Amino acid sequence: MAYTYLITGATSDVGAALIRHLLTEAPGEDRTILAQGCGDLARLDALVQQFPGRIVTFDADLSSPEAVDALCARFGKDLPCPTHFVHLPALPVVNAKFKAFDEARFQKDWEIQVHSAVKLCKAVLPAMSKAKFGRVLFIQTSYTIGCPPKNTAAYVMNKSAIGGLVKSLAVEYARFGITVNCVAPSMMETHFLKDTPDLIVQAAAADNPMGRNATPEDVAPAMAFLLSEEARFITGVTLPVTGGSAIV
């Protein structure tokens, strides 16, 4: 079977690691990656060269509902309908006390993470339902498991909304052979942390039972599993990838 993976936020470190994993773990399978970025597609140049003809890149500003609508209209036309949808985009975490809550930034992140997810799911789920097969995967955070750290209200609120969407879609679409899941990594040392003070990053590593923070290479295999045929009876779950720092 030919698989088409739509990966939004593909230019992130996690997105690149997942693409590399998907295209190397099953070299005999027919897999095409639709990789979305926003003004940063050059980050995927090395992968495009490594896997010629396997990755289709496109630029779309997910903070713009109009741009998301335009993207959704392309599926089944100049872009194939995805069999797999992985939604990764988010603004970098900003640690700020609630009294300094930035409503404009929160709204932008809501559009990028949540509103675009709703629109894209509405666009891709009908074809998956007709085919009686589909995989949908989101990235949450260990911050939504148990007690979150202080000064992360905006980030936790958006990620919690994603968790609610996952559970609702999982129940509604299970009968169509579609699974909907999340991975919830602990802190990963990527460019996503560029606005997070080093002391916070170092403290998270010291507090982790494994003595370090996560890497994209830790998370990509877990994501690939939830996207696989072997995970066909797993839906509506949030899988912690935390080195033991958050356990459910």
Side-chain angles (χ1 to χ4, degrees):
M1 181 177 177
Y3 293 138
T4 299
Y5 295 78
L6 169 64
I7 303 179
T8 48
T11 52
S12 65
D13 294 330
V14 177
L18 178 61
I19 292 171
R20 186 176 298 104
H21 189 91
L22 290 172
L23 295 181
T24 56
E25 71 167 353
E29 288 190 3
D30 185 359
R31 295 182 173 185
T32 300
I33 308 293
L34 307 179
Q36 177 268 339
C38 184
D40 56 357
L41 290 178
R43 291 176 57 86
L44 296 177
D45 285 351
L47 283 172
V48 171
Q49 294 173 14
Q50 182 180 354
F51 301 102
R54 309 286 300 281
I55 304 172
V56 178
T57 62
F58 58 92
D59 198 282
D61 180 2
L62 300 186
S63 70
S64 164
E66 294 76 19
V68 178
D69 287 338
L71 169 59
C72 292
R74 298 178 62 184
F75 298 125
K77 296 178 181 177
D78 65 313
L79 291 175
C81 293
T83 56
H84 299 65
F85 170 39
V86 183
H87 191 62
L88 305 176
L91 292 181
V93 180
V94 173
N95 289 76
K97 294 183 182 297
F98 187 72
K99 64 183 180 182
F101 192 95
D102 187 335
E103 294 186 30
R105 192 178 192 279
F106 171 77
Q107 183 62 42
K108 182 177 181 179
D109 203 21
W110 176 270
E111 293 294 337
I112 292 170
Q113 290 200 56
V114 183
H115 197 191
S116 72
V118 171
K119 286 177 173 286
L120 287 161
C121 283
K122 288 177 69 176
V124 305
L125 284 171
M128 291 182 182
S129 300
K130 185 176 181 180
K132 301 294 183 182
F133 175 83
R135 298 284 183 269
V136 180
L137 182 65
F138 295 88
I139 190 164
Q140 269 194 302
T141 170
S142 63
Y143 290 3
T144 61
I145 301 171
C147 181
K150 294 184 294 184
N151 307 329
T152 58
Y155 184 67
V156 171
M157 287 166 66
N158 275 318
K159 288 301 186 185
S160 297
I162 289 292
L165 177 63
V166 166
K167 291 179 181 179
S168 299
L169 293 179
V171 171
E172 187 169 346
Y173 284 91
R175 66 190 180 95
F176 296 105
I178 299 169
T179 67
V180 187
N181 293 297
C182 277
V183 292
S186 56
M187 183 176 287
M188 282 187 288
E189 294 192 13
T190 68
H191 79 280
F192 186 71
L193 295 181
K194 64 185 180 67
D195 297 322
T196 301
D198 287 342
L199 284 177
I200 293 177
V201 176
Q202 294 167 12
D207 288 343
N208 191 288
M210 290 196 177
R212 65 175 178 86
N213 289 317
T215 70
E217 288 70 29
D218 294 321
V219 178
M223 299 174 75
F225 169 68
L226 290 174
L227 294 168
S228 72
E229 176 60 20
E230 287 80 3
R232 60 188 174 274
F233 207 64
I234 300 173
T235 194
V237 307
T238 295
L239 176 62
V241 187
T242 66
S245 62
I247 298 175
V248 294

